[in-house]
Amino acid sequence: MGKLALFSFLVILCFALTSAATNYIVGDSSGWDISTDLDTWAQGKNFVVGDVLVFQYSSSDSVNEVTKESFDGCNTTKVIKTYTNNGNTTVTLSRPGPWYFISGNKLYCLGGMKLAINVQGKQADISPVAAPKAQPTGVVLPQPSTKNNNPTPTSSGSVYAAGGKDSLLKASFGFVAAVLWLVG
């Protein structure tokens, strides 16, 4: 019975290591700001269900989640949800498909302060080799120097970070070793 318990543990560990969510600081150190090239920031990133977008912005601005039509026209009155959390907003990507965000200030939106991303259904849809180097869950980057706000924790205080191709590789080797041990 001990071999079966070890095998079960390794299978669960393998899934836990490969399905860790990623926190993305929108705009990296520049934040959600009119000067940030958000199109370039989003390029090459593979967003999956469970990942978190962290918007950091001045307390006089806001983030609107909108439809494609509102995104295209910078319509700040027809929104799905408005976030005004004193310059710190976290949005968990809870469904696959396109997501659209615009600044609550229409002039900023017209100036390019908007973000369109496509979210994959699950972590297994992404090749570990092609995964972007993003901020792991639980790690908070310093605030942009032009912002005057404090980050809010996006996890339950844990600093544990998992995932990435190195963890996947280690888990895969452990899984193969356990199978060989069980067979042998």
Side-chain angles (χ1 to χ4, degrees):
M1 193 73 165
K3 288 183 181 183
L4 180 59
L6 177 61
F7 179 74
S8 299
F9 171 76
L10 289 173
V11 168
I12 292 168
L13 179 64
C14 183
F15 284 115
L17 289 174
T18 60
S19 63
T22 301
N23 285 355
Y24 290 95
I25 308 290
V26 176
D28 293 326
S29 62
S30 298
W32 178 249
D33 189 81
I34 188 69
S35 65
T36 305
D37 185 351
L38 295 167
D39 288 334
T40 300
W41 175 83
Q43 286 178 356
K45 290 180 174 59
N46 294 309
F47 302 98
V48 296
V49 170
D51 285 351
V52 176
L53 296 180
V54 179
F55 293 88
Q56 296 178 334
Y57 49 95
S58 73
S59 58
S60 63
D61 199 6
S62 62
V63 177
N64 289 334
E65 181 183 342
V66 295
T67 63
K68 174 144 178 46
E69 294 74 26
S70 290
F71 177 85
D72 291 340
C74 284
N75 184 339
T76 58
T77 58
K78 186 178 177 188
V79 301
I80 296 170
K81 187 166 186 177
T82 298
Y83 302 94
T84 56
N85 194 16
N86 290 328
N88 289 293
T89 295
T90 58
V91 177
T92 301
L93 302 173
S94 58
R95 61 168 170 74
W99 288 66
Y100 302 97
F101 300 94
I102 63 173
S103 169
N105 180 324
K106 185 170 185 151
L107 292 176
Y108 288 177
C109 179
L110 291 169
M113 199 169 156
K114 56 187 188 174
L115 175 68
I117 62 170
N118 190 43
V119 177
Q120 302 293 319
K122 56 185 181 255
Q123 188 72 27
D125 294 341
I126 305 299
S127 166
V129 176
K133 294 203 182 285
Q135 197 61 38
T137 302
V139 177
V140 178
L141 291 177
Q143 287 289 318
S145 60
T146 60
K147 308 291 183 282
N148 185 17
N149 50 30
N150 296 318
T152 56
T154 57
S155 68
S156 60
S158 170
V159 191
Y160 175 76
K165 65 182 177 182
D166 293 335
S167 295
L168 178 61
L169 187 61
K170 289 175 187 175
S172 298
F173 281 129
F175 183 76
V176 170
V179 170
L180 291 175
W181 179 66
L182 284 171
V183 173

